[in-house]
Amino acid sequence: MAATKCSYQSRALIREAVDTIQAIDAHARNIVEIESEFPFLRCFSEAEGEALSLAPYSLSFKRNLRDIAELYKCELSLQKVEDHRKSEGLDSISSKCFAAANISAVFFDDGFVFDKMLNWQSHKSFVPAVGRILCIEHLAETILNDEKFRESKSIAAYRSGLEINPCVTELEAEEGLFQELNGSKPVRITNKGFIDYIFTRSLEVAVFFELPLQVHTGLGDKDLDLKKSNPIHLRTVLADKRFAKSKIVLLHASYPFSKEASYLASAYSQVYLDFGLATPNISVQGMISSLKNLLELAPTKKVMFSTNGYAFPETFYLGAKRSRDVVFNVLSDACGDGDLTIEEALEAVKDIFRENALRLYKLNNVGGLIGRENVNKQSIVPKNFNNSQNGEDLAFVRIIWVDASGQHRCRVVPAGRFYEEVKSKGVGLPRAVMGLVSYKDELPESGTLTGVGEIRLVPDMTTIARLPWSTKEEMVLAEMHVKPGEAWEYCPRSALLRVTKILQEEFNLVMDAGFEKEFYILKKITRNGAEEWGPFDSSVYCSTSAFDTISPILQEAYNSLQSLNISVEQLHAEVGKGQFEFSFKYLQCNFAADNIIYAREVIRSVARKHGLLATFVPKYCLNDIGSGCHVHISLSHNGRNVFIGSENDPETQYGMSKIGQNFLAGVYHHLPAILAFTAPIPNSYDRIQPHTLSGAYHIWGKENREAPIRTACPPGVPMGLVSNFEIKSFDGCVNPHLGLASILVAGIDGLRRGLTLPEPLDVEPSDSANLERLPKDLGEAVAALVGDKILKELIGEKLVSEIISIRKAEIDYYSKNPEAYKDLIHRY
């Protein structure tokens, strides 16, 4: 039967689906520093030694070099590409490659050690989420060589082959182990009996814990016996009843045994297929043929993408780019041949690039293990996994933004329209939304924003998440654009992203942040015949009885946060009556800001579900302690903390590195102006008072909780050193992106100018004379911001000007209406 060509409209739909989906890269290896001895030519070939010298004459080399030169916009030559890599630096080229690859998560097998290789967690600087693959043979060799244990897959095909004997005995394994231990050093396991034993025992463990086992098949290192790497040899294992419930992923499309792999996936429920390495290292027709062979028999629900990226960020880009092209061609042909309808082809795109991996590796239920730790740090909603599913039961999607006065707002779109249109095009929104004040939905008289003009609220699909408390709805954070791809200058998320980029480009650094979120739980009480909101209980700091009473609600909030991959490190009852605190894991600052928005949504919504009210107002009751949102700040380079000092570094002072000192000095210098962002309403200054652990004086100190800036030495950090600093004058009414942006800009100024710190204060501030107070009210903070040229320049003149107008309007309103702060519990 003659094939018919897939229609232009169908091809366009498949192309869009393939290009826009955020992929899960389920198998890759660590990248290396630019200065690594590992030759860049290996980016294009698996060959070694003299064979590598001929790699530039392969079809894949010529094609891939063109792709890289086009991405970097440099001349088309290997030397020019290498020169560009060196001039740009690893962080810059990695960010570019991973962004172009459009990958939301990567699993790293760090069992292959390269010169100057980054640790697996360091990749969180470049991709929203990372995970680790345990190579069982490498682990065994590490133990036998008596090295430090390192944080599954099998490379048996590269050693003794896939003719695994599932009935291998312990005696055979012991004999094999004895042979390995008496062989050459360091140990490189090759004994078949020992490898078979490790494989079968590991598969038993994987079955018990319902984990998949990746198995190298087909092409690979030159020392493998290609015939023995044919996955058909695994039938003995697959037929063993012990492994009937196992999940085995055949890597590399089993090339050149793709048809055999396809048969196994169709005949055995345990077998899944991963086509990484088959792309991009063979010819275009070879890649297409390999994937077509896999899909001849294998269900599309069992075939998965990976880049098999390694050593160089360019390999991730090339693997993703070519995989998308190949899947597009194969699925378009399948539609033209009548094998698939367009709807089925679009479903296959989602399955191959994302959904199959989410299901197989149980990423929807992993919690904080895979998530925006990262992203850096590098998880990287760093951009998170969630239980979002575009199912028929989905009713609405909430598109969320936070305005300049820190209020959460959303537009709600029916799910069908959202996924058909809005997720890529956004929705219209009046420009005025970023000028609204906290006491009323109106604009300040002196503001520059008016009711004229519209922007686009564009969903950031890496943050899409199912609402844990309303399972027929999803929520997604949004950016503000003036036109597609062009950020609006008043957009808070874009402002933080912009200054984050400055820190990366000028200093090759990332700012990490971890929040401590304080809040009150209130209940309705009747007083003098009238209902009002009062404290949930009257217990004390870290009270066990307080926790007993509230525990079911906190458990629900905790589980909801976990479902969003927001990692909670600890929680406790705070000093106030009915006051509690959640402490969250460090993340790259952009993702920490996203997380705290979702955390607020969770805490307030779970409380509301139980007829209670959670509030983050700085001082909801003037007679009780205030609520802050303390933020801990650190700096990292390739995942390594560079804020902390070193006992061997002569520039270390106060426990901080030179970089840390300069950065913190900038924050200290600009702190009065920063308060206009981090303590944004008049009520904020009712909280920032002496003797309340809120930081009322312009000082800093090591472990001094009365200081607004406290350097910290948490457990595990050597005595005398500090790993981060805490800013106490940060509260729950802050737009977190703007608050962190102001801190980051101040730190950048400190680094640029080499600012130095005054001596720390390590006593109670009231015991020292003539200390300067921080702004005692919002008016003083605004005055400091008006005079701060650096914050205006880097955050944006127009945005800062609008913030100043909003703050001045609020100063005026609350001074005339002193009781109005009581209404804020319904807004924050």
Side-chain angles (χ1 to χ4, degrees), residues 458-653:
V458 181
D460 177 353
M461 292 301 292
T462 64
T463 69
I464 191 78
R466 187 68 67 107
L467 269 62
W469 62 91
S470 181
T471 56
K472 291 184 179 293
E473 296 183 65
E474 290 179 330
M475 59 182 175
V476 63
L477 298 178
E479 294 179 352
M480 298 171 170
H481 290 187
V482 290
K483 60 183 180 181
E486 183 179 332
W488 188 36
E489 55 202 334
Y490 292 86
C491 175
R493 292 183 91 230
S494 298
L496 179 56
L497 191 62
R498 186 170 61 251
V499 296
T500 297
K501 186 176 180 182
I502 293 173
L503 184 68
Q504 289 177 323
E505 291 181 346
E506 291 190 20
F507 302 100
N508 202 18
L509 296 173
V510 169
M511 187 178 90
D512 301 321
F515 286 102
E516 297 175 358
K517 189 70 175 170
E518 297 173 341
F519 56 94
Y520 276 90
I521 297 290
L522 306 180
K523 64 182 179 181
K524 283 186 177 180
I525 60 175
T526 301
R527 184 173 294 163
N528 298 325
E531 277 194 346
E532 60 183 61
W533 291 99
F536 181 80
D537 70 8
S538 299
S539 53
V540 295
Y541 178 70
C542 285
S543 165
T544 54
S545 61
F547 203 87
D548 284 340
T549 306
I550 199 70
S551 184
I553 296 171
L554 295 183
Q555 286 180 41
E556 185 173 344
Y558 170 77
N559 290 334
S560 296
L561 291 165
Q562 286 292 95
S563 75
L564 299 173
N565 292 315
I566 298 176
S567 182
V568 177
E569 296 202 322
Q570 60 176 303
L571 55 155
H572 62 268
E574 261 295 349
V575 176
K577 297 175 181 177
Q579 188 186 34
F580 298 88
E581 177 187 295
F582 278 90
S583 295
F584 298 104
K585 188 177 180 66
Y586 263 106
L587 300 170
Q588 181 177 318
C589 61
N590 306 72
F591 306 121
D594 289 351
N595 266 10
I596 205 66
I597 293 172
Y598 277 176
R600 291 171 179 172
E601 289 291 311
V602 166
I603 292 167
R604 285 181 67 86
S605 297
V606 170
R608 190 181 300 116
K609 176 180 173 182
H610 291 273
L612 304 171
L613 189 149
T615 180
F616 310 111
V617 173
K619 196 83 168 178
Y620 100 93
C621 174
L622 299 184
N623 296 321
D624 210 335
I625 199 74
S627 288
C629 185
H630 309 161
V631 60
H632 288 255
I633 302 292
S634 191
L635 299 172
S636 62
H637 169 68
N638 288 338
R640 180 174 62 88
N641 187 324
V642 295
F643 181 85
I644 191 171
S646 169
E647 296 172 347
N648 301 318
D649 182 1
E651 291 191 305
T652 291
Q653 192 175 10

Side-chain angles (χ1 to χ4, degrees), residues 324-493:
R324 293 179 193 274
D325 290 344
V326 169
V327 170
F328 165 70
N329 279 289
V330 170
L331 294 183
S332 294
D333 287 350
C335 282
D337 292 342
D339 286 332
L340 295 175
T341 65
I342 181 60
E343 291 80 10
E344 291 165 340
L346 295 177
E347 181 181 5
V349 170
K350 291 193 294 183
D351 286 337
I352 290 169
F353 282 104
R354 187 173 180 88
E355 298 301 323
N356 292 344
L358 287 174
R359 285 190 292 268
L360 181 64
Y361 298 107
K362 298 183 178 179
L363 301 183
N364 291 331
N365 301 315
V366 170
L369 178 62
I370 302 288
R372 299 168 298 161
E373 218 183 52
N374 352 168
V375 139
N376 311 216
K377 237 181 127 325
Q378 320 176 81
S379 233
I380 17 237
V381 156
K383 313 233 171 163
N384 66 324
F385 294 120
N386 49 66
N387 58 348
S388 170
Q389 326 222 348
N390 313 340
E392 295 179 358
D393 64 330
L394 188 62
F396 301 129
V397 179
R398 303 181 186 185
I399 308 174
I400 295 174
W401 75 96
V402 181
D403 64 23
S405 60
Q407 297 179 88
H408 291 205
R409 300 176 184 271
C410 72
R411 280 287 181 89
V412 181
V413 180
R417 179 171 179 260
F418 178 86
Y419 281 100
E420 291 171 6
E421 179 181 355
V422 172
K423 74 170 186 177
S424 57
K425 297 180 180 178
V427 294
L429 201 65
R431 288 173 172 255
V433 296
M434 280 304 293
L436 301 177
V437 294
S438 68
Y439 53 86
K440 192 176 183 180
D441 283 345
E442 68 179 24
L443 299 169
E445 292 183 2
S446 61
T448 57
L449 295 175
T450 68
V452 178
E454 188 170 270
I455 57 161
R456 281 277 156 183
L457 198 62
V458 181
D460 177 353
M461 292 301 292
T462 64
T463 69
I464 191 78
R466 187 68 67 107
L467 269 62
W469 62 91
S470 181
T471 56
K472 291 184 179 293
E473 296 183 65
E474 290 179 330
M475 59 182 175
V476 63
L477 298 178
E479 294 179 352
M480 298 171 170
H481 290 187
V482 290
K483 60 183 180 181
E486 183 179 332
W488 188 36
E489 55 202 334
Y490 292 86
C491 175
R493 292 183 91 230

Side-chain angles (χ1 to χ4, degrees), residues 503 507 511 633 635 643 654 656-675 677 698-700 709 711 725 727 739-758 774 784 788-791 794-795:
L503 184 68
F507 302 100
M511 187 178 90
I633 302 292
L635 299 172
F643 181 85
Y654 312 122
M656 292 174 271
S657 66
K658 182 66 173 175
I659 288 173
Q661 295 167 52
N662 294 154
F663 188 92
L664 183 55
V667 176
Y668 177 88
H669 176 75
H670 290 277
L671 191 56
I674 289 173
L675 260 63
F677 294 93
H698 196 176
I699 59 172
W700 76 279
I709 298 175
T711 56
F725 67 93
I727 295 184
L740 290 177
S742 68
I743 295 167
L744 182 47
V745 167
I748 289 172
D749 187 44
L751 290 170
R752 283 176 173 176
R753 295 199 285 155
L755 296 179
T756 58
L757 287 162
L774 281 176
D788 197 311
K789 294 180 180 180
I790 297 298
L791 288 179
L794 295 189
I795 293 177

Side-chain angles (χ1 to χ4, degrees), residues 164-191:
I164 304 293
N165 175 15
C167 299
V168 62
T169 65
E170 288 190 14
L171 179 60
E172 290 174 290
E174 288 174 2
E175 291 173 349
L177 175 58
F178 182 78
Q179 176 182 318
E180 299 288 0
L181 292 174
N182 285 279
S184 60
K185 301 295 186 210
V187 173
R188 186 177 189 271
I189 300 173
T190 58
N191 180 272

Side-chain angles (χ1 to χ4, degrees), residues 110-305:
D110 58 359
F112 290 77
V113 179
F114 305 124
D115 177 58
K116 295 184 175 63
M117 184 176 83
L118 274 61
N119 67 59
W120 69 277
Q121 291 177 311
S122 299
H123 299 76
K124 297 174 187 176
S125 298
F126 316 124
V127 66
V130 301
R132 192 183 194 189
I133 300 168
L134 180 67
C135 180
I136 56 178
E137 288 88 352
H138 173 72
L139 174 61
E141 289 170 349
T142 301
I143 294 171
L144 294 180
N145 287 312
D146 194 28
E147 297 177 2
K148 182 179 178 182
F149 178 83
R150 293 153 46 88
E151 269 218 337
S152 90
K153 73 174 189 184
S154 173
I155 53 172
Y158 292 2
R159 303 292 176 86
S160 56
L162 295 178
E163 295 175 301
I164 304 293
N165 175 15
C167 299
V168 62
T169 65
E170 288 190 14
L171 179 60
E172 290 174 290
E174 288 174 2
E175 291 173 349
L177 175 58
F178 182 78
Q179 176 182 318
E180 299 288 0
L181 292 174
N182 285 279
S184 60
K185 301 295 186 210
V187 173
R188 186 177 189 271
I189 300 173
T190 58
N191 180 272
K192 176 171 168 39
F194 189 42
I195 288 178
D196 289 357
Y197 187 80
I198 294 173
F199 183 98
T200 53
R201 295 292 83 80
S202 297
L203 189 54
E204 287 175 351
V205 172
V207 170
F208 181 82
F209 287 103
E210 299 182 345
L211 296 172
L213 179 71
Q214 296 181 345
V215 180
H216 276 264
T217 59
L219 60 79
D221 300 340
K222 67 179 182 180
D223 59 350
L224 69 81
D225 183 336
L226 191 58
K227 293 180 181 179
K228 293 182 179 180
S229 68
N230 189 329
I232 208 73
H233 293 305
L234 289 171
R235 284 182 297 178
T236 305
V237 172
L238 295 171
D240 193 303
K241 291 182 180 180
R242 290 174 295 166
F243 307 127
K245 298 296 184 180
S246 65
K247 291 179 173 60
I248 296 175
V249 183
L250 306 182
L251 297 175
H252 309 327
S254 297
Y255 184 86
F257 308 112
S258 302
K259 290 189 175 183
E260 288 90 336
S262 180
Y263 160 71
L264 291 176
S266 69
Y268 293 92
S269 63
Q270 308 102 303
V271 177
Y272 296 77
L273 309 176
D274 181 304
F275 59 86
L277 191 63
T279 58
N281 288 340
I282 53 180
S283 70
V284 171
Q285 290 305 315
M287 291 186 285
I288 292 173
S289 175
S290 177
L291 184 58
K292 282 187 174 181
N293 287 339
L294 290 184
L295 292 176
E296 279 188 2
L297 294 173
T300 56
K301 298 288 184 184
K302 283 187 159 190
V303 178
M304 290 174 291
F305 154 84

